[in-house]
Amino acid sequence: MVSHLSLSILLLIFSRLSGAYRVSVKTGDSITIPCPYDHYYIKLFKYLCKGDHFDSCSHVVHAKPPKGTAKASVFDDINQLTMTVTMTDLEPEDSGRYYCAVGVNGGPDVRAEWFHLSVIPGTPELYVDQQEVTGVEGGSVIVNCYYSNTGNRKGWCRIGGNGSCVGVDSGTINGTSVTLQQTTDATRRNVLMVTKGGLKMENTGWYRCGVGDLIMPVHITVRQQTTTQSTTTMTTTQAPTTEQSSFSPTAEPVQTDNTVQGPEGGKEKDTMSSIDLNVLLIPLGMLVVVISGVLVTWKMWRKYKDNKALDQTTNTSVDPFHVDDDGDVTYSTVVPKRRNQLNVQTKGQPYDVVYSSLVLHPTEGRNTAVTD
């Protein structure tokens, strides 16, 4: 068992170091191939050429403007020390051996990587649903690699860096766990299911499924964890299309979104906010009602007091000539009515004055005041 494990790992590492592998693509589809290079070549000219031998290969596309043709382009990522070649709308005549190369001024060019492209009309020998997968820090991603050749060794490797590989059921790459499971799907296709867990930001980069000398590159992007976490699961029942197979730095992956909205969840937070608002508004509304009631009561009381005072003044009857028991005449003070209660004549006309005389007549021992 140990010798078989060691042999598998050595073969995978040897395959990576030699750069000799095949890529199988369906007619009309696209493919993206990463080619890592040494940091010494970071400022040098990168290009792709095709031919049976590197010394005599013909240029297909290069990274300098114009960077691409109608069917091919090269992107030089100096941060990842990787030149990425994308070829679209592939036809059988595009099959052949390709070289990722670095142009050296004043010296021979350097071959960074090489591969053999096979464009076939049927189902590719090895393919994935999508070459771009996105995960979150601390989460996991699942990549399904579909293959037809069941007799060859299988594995999952990191492209570039130290080229770590896992060729058995489980292992680690750059400190993160990798689990491999060989199974079949509903259509009885052979599937190598790769689960990469415990993702870290430094796990962003290019990886590849390997079955024998066939490889299929997959780019994993790890993003920082936010309130919305996404776990991308690559599953399908159809062969990859042109849009699925191509990789673009601006392309957005298909994701299965698992929303994590805090310990209590977003809806509970909204409910708590609504409850807090109600607790504030209810006492405020009651306070407004009480204040309004007090103001209305106070105004009604003031109006009642004013009316009562006015009635007392208006209804008070004064006897101007009151005679007491001794027959003495008492002169009383006459309080005039308010102006608005008097029968005031038109402005500019004099008031009517009535003059009266006072005669005293004895009545039953009393003096009665009579007015003429």
Side-chain angles (χ1 to χ4, degrees), residues 4 147-154 182 190 211-212:
H4 176 71
Y147 61 94
S148 57
N149 192 339
T150 60
N152 290 332
R153 64 188 184 278
K154 304 164 187 66
Q182 299 183 48
N190 298 310
V211 177

Side-chain angles (χ1 to χ4, degrees), residues 30-277:
S30 303
I31 188 65
T32 298
I33 303 294
C35 300
Y37 56 80
D38 194 276
H39 68 278
Y40 293 111
Y41 307 132
I42 189 171
K43 294 183 179 180
L44 298 182
F45 170 63
K46 317 297 189 310
Y47 65 93
L48 177 72
C49 66
K50 179 182 180 183
D52 293 333
H53 302 283
F54 176 64
D55 295 337
S56 59
C57 67
S58 58
H59 284 221
V60 175
V61 64
H62 52 77
K64 289 184 178 180
K67 294 184 178 181
T69 64
K71 297 184 64 173
S73 62
V74 171
F75 173 72
D76 186 11
D77 186 351
I78 60 176
N79 295 320
Q80 296 292 327
L81 298 177
T82 302
M83 60 177 292
T84 305
V85 179
T86 300
M87 291 181 282
T88 61
D89 299 325
L90 292 170
E91 299 295 335
E93 55 268 25
D94 295 318
S95 300
R97 180 174 292 186
Y98 290 83
Y99 302 91
C100 297
V102 178
V104 179
N105 296 328
D109 292 349
V110 176
R111 185 186 69 187
E113 194 78 82
W114 73 274
F115 58 92
H116 189 277
L117 176 64
S118 298
V119 182
I120 59 177
T123 302
E125 299 174 80
L126 174 64
Y127 64 92
V128 293
D129 299 312
Q130 198 170 7
Q131 284 193 269
E132 175 69 10
V133 179
T134 301
V136 295
E137 190 175 14
S140 62
V141 293
I142 296 177
V143 179
N144 289 329
C145 305
Y146 304 92
Y147 61 94
S148 57
N149 192 339
T150 60
N152 290 332
R153 64 188 184 278
K154 304 164 187 66
W156 174 265
C157 296
R158 175 77 185 255
I159 298 178
N162 58 7
S164 300
C165 295
V166 174
V168 290
D169 295 339
S170 62
T172 59
I173 295 179
N174 300 124
T176 59
S177 63
V178 177
T179 303
L180 306 181
Q181 181 180 359
Q182 299 183 48
T183 182
T184 56
D185 63 6
T187 61
R188 303 190 65 82
R189 291 179 299 178
N190 298 310
V191 182
L192 176 63
M193 186 171 65
V194 181
T195 303
K196 187 172 178 61
L199 294 174
K200 302 177 182 179
M201 297 298 295
E202 56 266 27
N203 295 142
T204 296
W206 280 99
Y207 298 80
R208 68 182 189 180
C209 286
V211 177
D213 62 345
L214 285 165
I215 68 102
M216 178 52 63
V218 177
H219 187 270
I220 295 179
T221 301
V222 181
R223 296 176 179 173
Q224 289 184 344
Q225 185 176 5
T226 60
T227 54
T228 300
Q229 299 180 357
S230 299
T231 300
T232 303
T233 303
M234 310 306 300
T235 57
T236 187
T237 58
Q238 299 180 355
T241 61
T242 300
E243 292 77 12
Q244 290 176 324
S245 299
S246 60
F247 167 75
S248 173
T250 60
E252 289 294 333
V254 178
Q255 300 181 5
T256 300
D257 203 27
N258 301 321
T259 302
V260 179
Q261 299 174 328
E264 284 74 25
K267 292 184 179 179
E268 294 183 6
K269 289 185 179 180
D270 294 341
T271 303
M272 292 300 297
S273 299
S274 177
I275 293 175
D276 294 342
L277 185 61

Side-chain angles (χ1 to χ4, degrees), residues 320-339:
F321 302 102
H322 176 69
V323 181
D324 57 14
D325 296 338
D326 297 334
D328 295 332
V329 178
T330 302
Y331 293 91
S332 302
T333 301
V334 179
V335 180
K337 296 181 179 180
R338 292 184 180 182
R339 183 177 180 85

